[in-house]
Amino acid sequence: MIDKRKRPDIDEYFLKIVSVVAERSTCRRHHMGAIAVRDKRILATGFNGAPAGAKDCLELGCLRDEQNIPSGIRQETCRAIHAEQNVIIQAGLHGISLEGSTVYCTHTPCVLCAKMMVNAKIARSVSFGSYDDNTFIELFREAGIEVDIKERPPSVITYLD
């Protein structure tokens, strides 16, 4: 009997993992996750949410919703740290360089996260969703960061019993 299930390619594999990371988000608007990978090894993970130990939007409500702020602008009016910021912070806390790595994220980055990714010397950005801020594109082009926007991977996990 031949198994007809398709083995996911490496990008789909890591995009599925980042989708699970995003489930830890404490944001009421978007569940975002990010992972940094080099040589097919996960270096760090991050999701969007309040700073460690601080009350989050699940408990306090969303500041952006309360002030009717649309997505993609005024990121400073938010309790959450973005997933890409958290992946960079986590790598730094554990002494891991992200130079030359690929960051897989559920969404394309805002310009603030893009600037941090440039300075962290990320080589490639892969996502399946689009954030409401496309100003990262020109910055990544100037910095030589490869951008891949893929189809959302299937949420079904396939395995043999």
Side-chain angles (χ1 to χ4, degrees), residues 21-99:
V21 171
E23 288 183 324
R24 293 285 300 149
S25 171
T26 60
C27 177
R28 290 179 178 263
R29 283 185 167 200
H30 300 289
H31 283 189
M32 295 186 182
I35 58 174
V37 173
R38 187 173 46 241
D39 300 325
K40 298 181 183 178
R41 302 283 185 258
I42 297 173
L43 304 173
T45 67
F47 53 86
N48 59 329
K55 291 183 179 180
D56 58 47
C57 294
L58 297 178
E59 186 175 347
L60 298 174
C62 175
L63 291 172
R64 297 175 65 78
D65 282 347
E66 291 166 9
Q67 296 178 29
N68 294 316
I69 299 170
S71 186
I73 63 168
R74 294 186 46 211
Q75 290 90 347
E76 73 282 358
T77 306
C78 182
R79 289 185 177 86
I81 297 169
H82 290 187
E84 303 93 327
Q85 294 168 351
N86 270 325
V87 84
I88 292 168
I89 291 166
Q90 288 303 310
L93 285 172
H94 297 284
I96 299 168
S97 170
L98 298 182
E99 186 171 356

